[in-house]
Amino acid sequence: MDPIAYVNGSFVPLSEAKVSILDRGFLFADGIYEVAAVLDGKLVDSASHLARLERSVGEIGLALPESVARIEELQKELIARNQLDNGMVYLQVTRGADKSRDFPFPKGVTPTLIMFVTVKDIVNAPSAKTGIGVITVPDIRWARRDIKSVALLAQVLAKQAAAAAGAGEAWMIEDGQITEGGSSSAFILTKDDVIVTRPNSNAILPGCTRKAVVALAEERQLKVEERAFTVEEALKAKEAFITSASAFVQPVVTIDGKPVGDGRVGPMATRLREIYIDFARATAV
Ligand code: PLP
């Protein structure tokens, strides 16, 4: 079956889903995206993703062509039309297609809104049992990483380097400290059982999964510290893990080929993954 995509008001077969070559998302990376997980046909942590979408478009002065309530309805319809049980909904909004290719915002141009789905059994991903390796790369991104912009070339290069090294993610380093993963938030568990993750700022994307995991951990009286950490500290930690909508909580067992802790998947990452999956199931819409 040809999957169904959404393009500017219409549901169309993916193979026929097209936008103009003049689209500013294509020409300038002038756009914002979101990725929400789908579990048992329902959207995970949807309010959090839609709030971040509203914030991101606001930061670049882009008006959404539909309300967020309508966008959620469209996402649900797309899930239903694709009979999607488990996977992700990708959503992108750009400043639209304009004839001139002028840098300033064009006037009277309708933003482009597209969505499509991908199939992925996130809950049963084998890497949750084995853990993944990460490599480290310099963080060469721009200064507004809090905006979920479609300008992802730095992450493409980082994650390509990871893939070429047989690793599952790249951790990006700035001023000697880890900012985040190419498409995930970074965590460690210290020897004193403190969960450490970098605080939100312009230096990282405010991960929706990160936010939920921090709240869920604190509800269970686990110690959480929001501060930056180095690769050296991560290597000395008991455990490391990443979070993202498309992987939930994923253990990290090596950094640049060196073991974290005993080099095996730890109990905290496994526990937080279970807690997050329970939360995701219980709150999905
Ligand atoms: N950091 C970056 C750079 C990302 O691209 C992503 C997700 O794509 C994340 C963190 C994790 O965010 P979320 O948990 O909202 O998926």
Side-chain angles (χ1 to χ4, degrees), residues 9 23 26 62 66 123 130 203 208 234:
D23 194 277
F26 181 58
L62 171 58
E66 304 283 355
V123 170
T130 58
C208 295

Side-chain angles (χ1 to χ4, degrees), residues 33 49 52 141 148 180-185 205 207-209 244-245:
Y33 77 108
H49 286 280
R52 186 173 63 188
R141 296 174 299 162
K148 200 163 169 67
E180 58 187 331
S183 60
S184 58
S185 310
L205 183 79
C208 295
T209 322
S244 71

